[in-house]
Amino acid sequence: MAKNVVEKAEVEHPVLVYNRTKQRAIEFAEKLPAGKTEILDSIPEGVARADVIFTILAKDDIVEAVADTILKSGDVKGKLFVECSTIHPDTTTRIAKRFLDRGAEFVAAPVFGAPAMAEVGQLVGVLAGPGASIQKARQFFKGVMARSEIDMSDEPYEKALQLKIIGNTFVLNMVEQVSEGLVLAEKSGLGTQYLHQFVENIFPGPFAAYSTRIQSGAYHRMSYPLFPVDLARKDARHAFSLAEACGVRMGNLEVADAHLAAVKEHDGEKGDIAGIYGAVRAESGLKYEND
């Protein structure tokens, strides 16, 4: 996302970059033209110098901790904060109020799309909050970080996160369905190649992409997960929380989450959402790994 801001957005100054692991920021900056980015040593340094500040972090408690650091760093009046993390809607609402109370602007802007889509600026942004603030943030989305936007101008902040959480259940259930289908195709004697051809023809796009990634064995070979199991289960917990509050049961998600628990037990923190396939294989009498 930051790469596309550097390469495509109309910014007058270097994009300021901060990562808790500084080496990752250094490696990122080295891939871009000199003078286009500046690496920061601290969050307060960035807050003091930037007019528009994006945050995208893994978990609710980390987002709240960073918000604490930002708000303790000095005057934020007039600055625009664009929060892109996948967190519980209540967390977003709570954080937004803290920024607004200090005179800042705030946009909730979670994004849909795998890392490969982020790399080429093909995410889908979901923007909620005051219309005037969204208009300021929009210059960084469609045509820069995103291929399209779901515009929730003047809607409550929590709606963007409600959509993000519910939308991510589609991803979890998709991986569950593809995994179950591939295992059944193998064990029934049909052959996974024919099911994959069906998926490519009838469900091109994400379904076909996950079918390809699953069958490649990447879920048990990759050194770092594309969609870590801990984050997938965090999203599932948020969805269960939303559903319970409304009296809805997410039965499909319960099955996927149980398989994610098996992935965590087998692979630990490096487990990936595609490992659901390995979990389904194991409970069906096959080896977890597909090699």
Side-chain angles (χ1 to χ4, degrees):
M1 292 169 69
K3 177 183 78 73
N4 283 292
V5 170
V6 170
E7 294 178 344
K8 303 175 187 176
E10 296 182 5
V11 292
E12 297 177 357
H13 306 287
V15 173
L16 306 177
V17 180
Y18 174 79
N19 191 294
R20 289 176 297 161
T21 305
K22 187 174 181 178
Q23 184 59 35
R24 295 184 69 178
I26 293 171
E27 292 170 359
F28 164 74
E30 287 174 345
K31 298 175 183 178
L32 297 167
K36 291 291 187 179
T37 60
E38 183 178 339
I39 299 168
L40 303 174
D41 291 318
S42 70
I43 292 173
E45 179 188 359
V47 173
R49 295 172 57 190
D51 297 316
V52 181
I53 299 163
F54 283 82
T55 51
I56 181 162
L57 298 153
K59 299 179 182 179
D60 295 50
D61 59 341
I62 298 173
V63 175
E64 297 217 61
V66 169
D68 287 340
T69 301
I70 290 171
L71 292 169
K72 291 175 181 177
S73 67
D75 187 13
V76 297
K77 186 175 181 180
K79 296 180 183 291
L80 172 62
F81 291 87
V82 185
E83 218 303 299
C84 300
S85 309
T86 301
I87 51 180
H88 195 283
D90 292 348
T91 306
T92 297
T93 299
R94 186 166 56 248
I95 291 172
K97 183 179 185 304
R98 296 180 64 193
F99 280 99
L100 295 175
D101 287 347
R102 293 280 296 274
E105 295 185 68
F106 189 94
V107 171
V111 294
F112 287 107
M117 295 173 69
E119 179 74 20
V120 294
Q122 292 295 298
L123 298 171
V124 176
V126 184
L127 281 65
S133 299
I134 287 178
Q135 193 59 36
K136 292 180 182 179
R138 181 168 283 137
Q139 63 181 304
F140 300 105
F141 283 87
K142 189 174 182 180
V144 179
M145 298 189 299
R147 61 182 170 86
S148 62
E149 302 160 0
I150 298 175
D151 186 355
M152 294 184 171
S153 291
D154 298 319
E155 292 278 14
Y157 294 113
E158 62 263 28
K159 284 197 174 185
L161 278 302
Q162 288 171 340
L163 178 57
K164 173 60 175 170
I165 294 299
I166 295 172
N168 274 13
T169 69
F170 280 56
V171 178
L172 296 174
N173 290 331
M174 173 183 66
V175 177
E176 177 68 32
Q177 182 60 62
V178 170
S179 298
E180 291 181 10
L182 288 171
V183 172
L184 179 57
E186 179 176 346
K187 293 208 70 175
S188 68
L190 167 65
T192 58
Q193 71 273 26
Y194 298 120
L195 184 66
H196 181 69
Q197 289 178 41
F198 160 77
V199 171
E200 285 185 313
N201 281 281
I202 306 300
F203 300 109
F207 271 87
Y210 265 104
S211 179
T212 298
R213 184 151 76 88
I214 285 169
Q215 292 183 85
S216 74
Y219 70 93
H220 62 84
R221 295 193 182 102
M222 62 179 63
S223 58
Y224 186 82
L226 294 178
F227 192 158
V229 62
D230 287 341
L231 299 189
R233 297 204 71 198
K234 176 261 297 180
D235 292 352
R237 288 194 298 273
H238 288 338
F240 288 138
S241 173
L242 287 178
E244 183 179 3
C246 301
V248 175
R249 181 179 178 185
M250 306 290 283
N252 288 347
L253 187 60
E254 291 174 6
V255 175
D257 187 53
H259 285 140
L260 285 170
V263 173
K264 179 61 183 287
E265 183 176 355
H266 188 276
D267 293 328
E269 292 185 356
K270 73 180 186 68
D272 183 82
I273 185 177
I276 286 176
Y277 176 56
V280 176
R281 286 175 58 85
E283 74 176 14
S284 302
L286 299 173
K287 184 182 176 184
Y288 182 92
E289 297 79 10
N290 67 339
D291 54 2

